[in-house]
Amino acid sequence: MPEKITVTKLISFSFFMVAPTIQQDRVFNWMNKWAHRRNSKVHIQDVTAAYTALDVVGPLSRHLLSDLTDESVSPTCFPSFRCKEINIGMATGIRAISGLIYVTIMTA
């Protein structure tokens, strides 16, 4: 299985996975293989073409992001390994995924 994958629970029984672009087909095939082997009734969809990702990395990543949004991105309001929708400028509904020293911003 590829490394550096982020899986986020959006709502009950709905998940969003982010993987490196180079791993796109491998992850998709791996997920389908195991869903089939386990006879799981799941829907797996590759939405790579629908999203753009931007990683804001480093010890000041939250500070930079706080200058771009009215949403609180403090560790208390947006703890590590969480996902929440934020607005940046006129762009709304952006999925932000927090890590230890990074924030991944996903927009459709």
Side-chain angles (χ1 to χ4, degrees):
M1 180 62 186
E3 296 181 24
K4 299 188 181 188
I5 293 175
T6 303
V7 179
T8 303
K9 184 175 184 177
L10 300 176
I11 57 174
S12 185
F13 301 109
S14 180
F15 298 86
F16 188 75
M17 179 185 287
V18 178
T21 303
I22 198 163
Q23 299 287 354
Q24 172 185 344
D25 291 334
R26 185 173 179 198
V27 170
F28 186 72
N29 293 333
W30 186 87
M31 295 288 291
N32 278 310
K33 176 182 84 174
W34 282 102
H36 179 72
R37 281 188 184 177
R38 299 187 76 161
N39 199 26
S40 299
K41 294 179 180 8
V42 298
H43 175 74
I44 301 168
Q45 182 177 359
D46 182 352
V47 295
T48 302
Y51 287 88
T52 298
L54 172 67
D55 285 332
V56 180
V57 180
L60 298 177
S61 58
R62 287 180 188 270
H63 179 72
L64 174 63
L65 193 57
S66 70
D67 288 344
L68 303 175
T69 184
D70 292 332
E71 300 285 330
S72 176
V73 292
S74 70
T76 303
C77 295
F78 191 25
S80 292
F81 309 110
R82 296 290 196 279
C83 176
K84 75 179 199 176
E85 287 194 359
I86 62 173
N87 301 328
I88 296 178
M90 296 178 69
T92 60
I94 295 172
R95 285 186 183 148
I97 303 169
S98 67
L100 291 175
I101 56 167
Y102 69 89
V103 177
T104 299
I105 303 166
M106 304 293 295
T107 183

